[in-house]
Amino acid sequence: MFFFGSLIKLLFLTFASLASGALVQGTCVQNDSILEQLSQQLSPNAAIACRGSPLQVYNAGRYWGVEYSKNASIVVFPTSKEDVSYAVKAAAAWPLGKDLAFVSGGHGQTNASSSYGFLIDLSWMNATQILHNITLDDTTVSTAIAYQGGANWTQGTSVTNGSGYALVAARDGDVGVGGFSTGGGIGWIAGVYGYAIDRLRAVEVVLMSGATVLATKTNAYSDLFWALQGGGGQFGIVTTFYQEAVPEPQSSELGFWIIDPSSWSQAQSNVAAFFATNTNPFSLIYYSVGYYPANLTSPPFSTQMVIVGLLFRNSPSPSPSPSPSNPPQPNFTTTYAPLLSGLNITYQVSYSLPFATLTTLSTPFFPYGYRRGFWGPQTTTVTPSYLANATNITASYIAASLSTGESPAFAFWNIQYMFPTLNGHAPSSDADTAWPHSLTAHQTLFSPAWNFSADDSLVYSFNDQFNHLTWAHQSALKDGQGAGFVADYPNYISPGVSGRRVWGNNTARLISLKEKFDPECRIHQGRVFASEGCVRRGWGNVFA
């Protein structure tokens, strides 16, 4: 997707350079004073694409879940914050601009980043820079990584690769930085350094008035900064994120183990023991059951249990940002020997590779071309019985999906281990960020893949089973077992889940900030905080 998009841009900018103003594809701008003015205001390397033009078709094909693809009447490809501002103002005046959306990577699962009207595609704003001793209004950062809101994580990590610095980035290189960085930001090293929202130090935002502001934790736009730490992209369009850098792991070791069904019960006990006893923040595992190939790369597919282990070699001090303690680390084999003890393993493979390349290694597990879901709550404690129940639901889903004629390739349920307190980087209070996560919990994920809209209800019914399993499991925990409120992860919000399930007691404040920064509810696709303006227009659906 990245290469094709870059090629498309190069080809069309070659022709755009021959004329003043932005590239225009199609005839929608002709005899339209608003769009004609916009075409002259935009940078020469920006573009306006009318419905049916090559760039508009390219945009419609960018969405990971095919059910979220729409053919917009107009797609604007800005290349600067000024371009974004001009586009926002033009949309306010254009007849179809009420149906406004903007897209970063197109992986979002709330139907928030596409529209039939006016769409702003940020994918040409994809630069990443490593900045030293930078002052961002009232905030100084020794080393920050600035990434534009239209980049994906392959683009972002290609810049940091080998630099000695790293980001808390997505595990799939095709994921856009925008939704990831405003919706939580769980990544390979989130258990070591916190989620992406915990690493943000400033955000440059184009508001719906067209004004561009820089928000930090302590300046005049601190409430906007807070809202963007897990509240999603409903408050403005982030054109640049500034994340405080972390030390780049010196090496990354990765192992995949497919477990024979005769050992599934033992594997569940071993996995639960790892979750309960691991003391190294630089090691983590995924427990997964899904419809996978026998060797993870080529058919035939079948229901498989896969355990994934990762071990990162931490950088020595001094490090580019405050680093956790550097405990002595056993080698990869020693680290995962208890996890694999007594298991009949039918297939295994391991890699040692640069940290940044992990994002591309996982991409094949998330293929395009399907209707997709990406949902899951969290739990603080994992038990063998909990894993067994989730495994049974997964197997039932795969069987039911196959019985309808579906081919649910790479559909799975998994749970990611998260180190306690995020290794000291978790917020001290649920009120510190829009998404409450002071109590560290392990992340579940149901990632179905299906072809037919007739099977939507089947998929949603199984997702409900996974949700209720995890919620009931967390609710039943006692003191000393990790009891307490655990909010669902915003980027994995399930259809129909209440706002309080995700944002807890912060929901009311987010609603008020929606009213403050977007009083006309111009950003209203998908899940929308029920501000006065949004409710009055019939778009608010997330209530306190």
Side-chain angles (χ1 to χ4, degrees), residues 155-167:
Q155 294 166 322
T157 57
S158 68
V159 173
T160 60
N161 189 16
S163 69
Y165 303 95
L167 291 150

Side-chain angles (χ1 to χ4, degrees), residues 208 234 513-523 531:
M208 288 300 98
Q234 296 187 41
L513 291 175
K514 176 67 173 175
E515 182 70 17
K516 176 178 180 179
F517 290 106
D518 186 17
E520 296 179 358
C521 201
R522 295 188 61 200
I523 304 173
S531 64

Side-chain angles (χ1 to χ4, degrees), residues 38 43 72 162 178 206 214 221 249 269 298 311 321 337 364 398 426 482 484 497 502:
L38 176 61
S43 304
V206 174
L214 184 70
Y221 292 96
S269 295
S298 58
L311 180 65
S321 70
I398 293 171
V497 166
V502 182

Side-chain angles (χ1 to χ4, degrees), residues 168-182:
V168 176
R171 297 153 299 185
D172 177 0
D174 284 338
V175 170
V177 304
F180 176 87
S181 299
T182 59

Side-chain angles (χ1 to χ4, degrees), residues 169-453:
R171 297 153 299 185
D172 177 0
D174 284 338
V175 170
V177 304
F180 176 87
S181 299
T182 59
I186 189 172
W188 303 116
I189 52 175
V192 185
Y193 297 110
Y195 290 85
I197 61 172
D198 302 317
R199 306 297 310 175
L200 288 177
R201 298 297 176 259
V203 284
E204 178 186 85
V205 187
V206 174
L207 302 177
M208 288 300 98
S209 64
T212 302
V213 302
L214 184 70
T216 74
K217 188 177 181 66
T218 51
N219 74 357
Y221 292 96
S222 60
D223 51 358
L224 176 61
F225 181 83
W226 178 89
L228 292 168
Q229 287 185 288
Q234 296 187 41
F235 307 92
I237 302 176
V238 179
T239 49
T240 304
F241 297 87
Y242 297 88
Q243 190 184 133
E244 185 171 4
V246 303
E248 182 179 30
Q250 294 174 310
S251 66
S252 306
E253 295 173 88
L254 170 68
F256 294 89
W257 302 284
I258 296 181
I259 312 302
D260 187 84
S262 64
S263 293
W264 282 13
S265 178
Q266 182 64 54
Q268 290 154 0
S269 295
N270 291 2
V271 167
F274 180 95
F275 274 64
T277 62
N278 179 52
T279 59
N280 182 3
F282 292 91
S283 63
L284 72 152
I285 66 170
Y286 294 82
Y287 171 92
S288 178
V289 179
Y291 196 59
Y292 295 125
N295 62 358
L296 298 179
T297 57
S298 58
F301 285 78
S302 62
T303 301
Q304 307 265 16
M305 176 188 289
V306 181
I307 298 176
V308 183
L310 294 101
L311 180 65
F312 304 110
R313 292 294 171 186
N314 46 317
S315 299
S317 296
S319 60
S321 70
S323 174
S325 61
N326 292 330
Q329 290 180 275
N331 63 32
F332 187 84
T333 300
T334 302
T335 296
Y336 295 110
L339 176 70
L340 304 177
S341 177
L343 302 184
N344 183 7
I345 299 171
T346 61
Y347 177 81
Q348 60 185 318
V349 63
S350 60
Y351 306 89
S352 181
L353 66 172
F355 172 72
T357 62
L358 284 174
T359 59
T360 57
L361 189 66
S362 62
T363 298
F365 288 90
F366 304 99
Y368 283 73
Y370 293 89
R371 301 175 74 81
R372 298 302 308 229
F374 219 66
W375 309 307
Q378 297 190 331
T379 183
T380 58
T381 303
V382 170
T383 64
S385 61
Y386 170 73
L387 295 175
N389 288 333
T391 298
N392 291 337
I393 296 172
T394 307
S396 296
Y397 160 69
I398 293 171
S401 182
L402 291 169
S403 72
T404 67
E406 293 281 2
S407 179
F410 291 103
F412 63 82
W413 180 91
N414 75 14
I415 185 164
Q416 175 182 344
Y417 171 82
M418 298 295 288
F419 195 79
T421 74
L422 305 180
N423 200 32
H425 293 279
S428 59
S429 164
D430 277 351
D432 287 354
T433 56
W435 175 48
H437 61 288
S438 62
L439 180 59
T440 302
H442 311 295
Q443 180 64 58
T444 73
L445 171 61
F446 175 43
S447 180
W450 71 107
N451 292 297
F452 310 118
S453 59

